Amino acid sequence: MSIFDLIIIDPRKIVLEQVFFSEANKAALDQVVKEHRYIGELKKYELPVDNKILLHGQSGCGKTTTAKAIANALNKNIVILNLSTLVSSKLGETSHNLKMVFDKAIRDKAVLFLDEFDQIGKMRSTDDHDSGEMRRLVNTLLQLIDYFPHDCILVCATNFYDLIDPALLRRFQLKLKYELPGRTQLDAFYDKKLERFPEHLRGIPRNYEISYAEAEDYINTSMKALIIADLEKQVPAT
Ligand SMILES: Nc1ncnc2c1ncn2[C@@H]1O[C@H](COP(=O)(O)OP(=O)(O)O)[C@@H](O)[C@H]1O
Ligand SMILES: [Mg+2]
């Protein structure tokens, strides 16, 4: 096994315009994408572009989806590394492995997506050996972030903002919070997701106070049951 076995290359394309965002997040992300579209022109005026983004908050509200959508909007590859996998892997020098992943992303001018970003501080409280390793890892990461080139984008995601080292937090130019969608947002989501189904099935009761991921699962489960029930009604009695 090599470090590249830990990287996920996801070829599925997610269209940024189809992701549901809060207004503040939408505005911030549109701005970043535009900065990278016009990176050459902005460089002429020595204007640096933002390229270090932290997405935090509720699970199932679109952090991973956002990273993929940014990559797709900019026609960039996405290199995905789950930090809990990196930290728990028995691949030896974790810092060296992290550096190799950064190198790959930089070579590809890619979007580098570090998921479960809070895992980077996790070993600190355990035994001495691990805490030395974790300190090295945090220092390496700080350096890698500081020298991260402008034509790449670093997106990190966590459900546990409070666990993240303040020295790391300071490095992000954008910190976007993902919250459970409100009723209006979920209604828009239901409307959109139900569109493709036969009209007589679209009136399912709607659940609220749940994440987009949960709403999507609920829609899929309901629709499968209803469609199968419809199909079974059509089977001629024998
Ligand atoms: N904001 C959103 N807009 C559209 N779909 C979403 C959104 N959030 C979640 N989903 C749906 O739920 C699934 C899981 O979301 P994900 O982005 O993995 O959440 P997170 O990374 O925040 O836990 C996605 O694949 C997508 O189908
Ligand atoms: Mg995720």
Side-chain angles (χ1 to χ4, degrees):
M1 188 161 115
S2 88
I3 183 64
F4 296 108
D5 295 321
L6 299 183
I7 296 178
I8 304 159
I9 307 282
D10 191 337
R12 273 175 307 169
K13 303 277 180 236
I14 299 212
V15 178
L16 193 64
E17 287 72 23
Q18 289 172 9
V19 184
F20 286 70
F21 296 110
S22 68
E23 273 181 32
N25 289 357
K26 172 105 186 90
L29 290 165
D30 281 348
Q31 169 73 16
V32 174
V33 166
K34 281 184 193 161
E35 288 186 13
H36 283 267
R37 273 196 194 127
Y38 297 111
I39 190 168
E41 286 79 356
L42 296 173
K43 208 169 156 193
K44 286 181 202 153
Y45 298 99
E46 295 177 30
L47 289 169
V49 295
D50 286 349
N51 67 338
K52 295 160 192 169
I53 309 169
L54 180 69
L55 311 178
H56 61 98
Q58 286 282 342
S59 119
C61 291
K63 298 185 295 298
T64 303
T65 307
T66 301
K68 292 176 185 172
I70 293 174
N72 187 36
L74 292 169
N75 216 0
K76 285 176 172 298
N77 287 338
I78 182 163
V79 175
I80 302 177
L81 177 67
N82 189 314
L83 288 185
S84 79
T85 320
L86 174 76
V87 167
S88 64
S89 72
K90 299 276 181 284
L91 281 175
E93 249 297 345
T94 326
S95 298
H96 175 73
N97 292 331
L98 184 65
K99 190 168 178 309
M100 292 214 298
V101 174
F102 267 75
D103 284 347
K104 169 163 179 53
I106 292 168
R107 266 198 313 277
D108 291 359
K109 299 187 196 304
V111 170
L112 174 58
F113 179 53
L114 303 182
D115 206 357
E116 299 200 36
F117 192 65
D118 46 276
Q119 293 292 317
I120 208 91
K122 204 187 153 204
M123 284 201 296
R124 203 176 296 192
S125 55
T126 61
D127 68 61
D128 276 355
H129 167 74
D130 278 357
S131 91
E133 176 74 13
M134 185 48 80
R135 250 196 315 277
R136 268 195 297 286
L137 186 56
V138 172
N139 287 336
T140 302
L141 182 59
L142 287 169
Q143 264 177 24
L144 289 169
I145 295 180
D146 286 342
Y147 291 100
F148 197 63
H150 283 110
D151 53 6
C152 300
I153 301 181
L154 177 68
V155 182
C156 299
T158 178
N159 300 350
F160 307 101
Y161 184 86
D162 297 340
L163 296 184
I164 295 171
D165 193 319
L168 283 169
L169 280 183
R170 269 202 303 280
R171 261 67 183 186
F172 294 97
Q173 300 124 343
L174 287 177
K175 301 183 194 71
L176 307 183
K177 185 167 186 189
Y178 284 67
E179 296 178 299
L180 279 188
R183 221 182 153 84
T184 319
Q185 286 170 307
L186 267 182
D187 270 331
F189 186 77
Y190 278 113
D191 291 345
K192 182 84 205 311
K193 292 285 165 181
L194 289 167
E195 233 171 42
R196 70 179 197 274
F197 296 108
E199 200 164 354
H200 70 285
L201 302 182
R202 291 182 206 160
I204 51 166
R206 295 180 175 194
N207 290 340
Y208 297 96
E209 315 248 326
I210 54 176
S211 67
Y212 291 114
E214 289 167 323
E216 183 157 9
D217 281 347
Y218 166 68
I219 293 167
N220 290 347
T221 309
S222 310
M223 286 300 136
K224 278 189 282 188
L226 292 171
I227 289 166
I228 290 170
D230 264 7
L231 290 169
E232 293 195 329
K233 263 189 259 163
Q234 291 163 22
V235 176
T238 49

